[in-house]
Amino acid sequence: MQLPLVSILIPFKNTERFLNDCLDSIRIQSYENWEVLAVNDHSTDHSLSLVHGYADNDNRIKVFQNEGKGIIHALRTAYGKSSGLLITRMDSDDIMLPNKLQVMVDSLRRNGSGHLAVGQVEYFSHRGVSDG
C-alpha cells in the first residue's frame, strides 16, 4: 500500500542560522514520503541559497518565491504548489523529532477523515516566542 505524501509548508525569511537544523530534522524523518515546499519571503541573508543547496541534493525539497509578502502569502504560495494528501506546516527556526511525521500520519490513518494531528517542535530561536 502506498503511504500518503505529506507536504511540509515552510515559509522562511532571514533564518539562515536555523535552516540547516530545520531541514536536517526533516531529512532524517522515519517517515520518508514527504515533500518540503520552502517559500522565500524576500530574505536578505543567505537563506535562499542555503535552501537551494538542500533542494539540489534532495528532490523532495522544492523552493519558491513568495507570491506576496508575509507569512500568510508564503503559506498560500506553498499550499498552492503542494501535492500531498496530508499537509503540515513548520517554521524555519524549528526542528522535528525524528518520528514526528510517522506519528502524525499513523494518527490520521487510524482516525480517518475529519481529524487533525499535531506534533511538537523544538523551538531554538534566541529571541523566544514573540508576536510574530
Side-chain angles (χ1 to χ4, degrees), residues 5-68:
L5 178 65
V6 177
S7 293
I8 306 166
L9 316 181
I10 305 178
F12 67 92
K13 180 176 184 177
N14 298 332
T15 53
E16 69 178 310
R17 65 183 267 211
F18 304 113
L19 276 165
N20 285 318
D21 290 333
C22 174
L23 295 171
D24 287 343
S25 78
I26 296 168
R27 292 186 68 216
I28 65 166
Q29 287 296 298
S30 59
Y31 188 87
E32 297 179 342
N33 195 23
W34 52 261
E35 67 175 354
V36 164
L37 299 107
V39 179
N40 178 35
D41 186 24
H42 313 284
S43 293
T44 57
D45 64 0
H46 295 99
S47 295
L48 181 59
S49 62
L50 190 150
V51 177
H52 272 298
Y54 276 84
D56 290 344
N57 292 306
D58 191 326
N59 64 1
R60 298 174 295 178
I61 300 173
K62 300 161 183 81
V63 186
F64 303 96
Q65 287 297 124
N66 192 352
E67 294 172 359

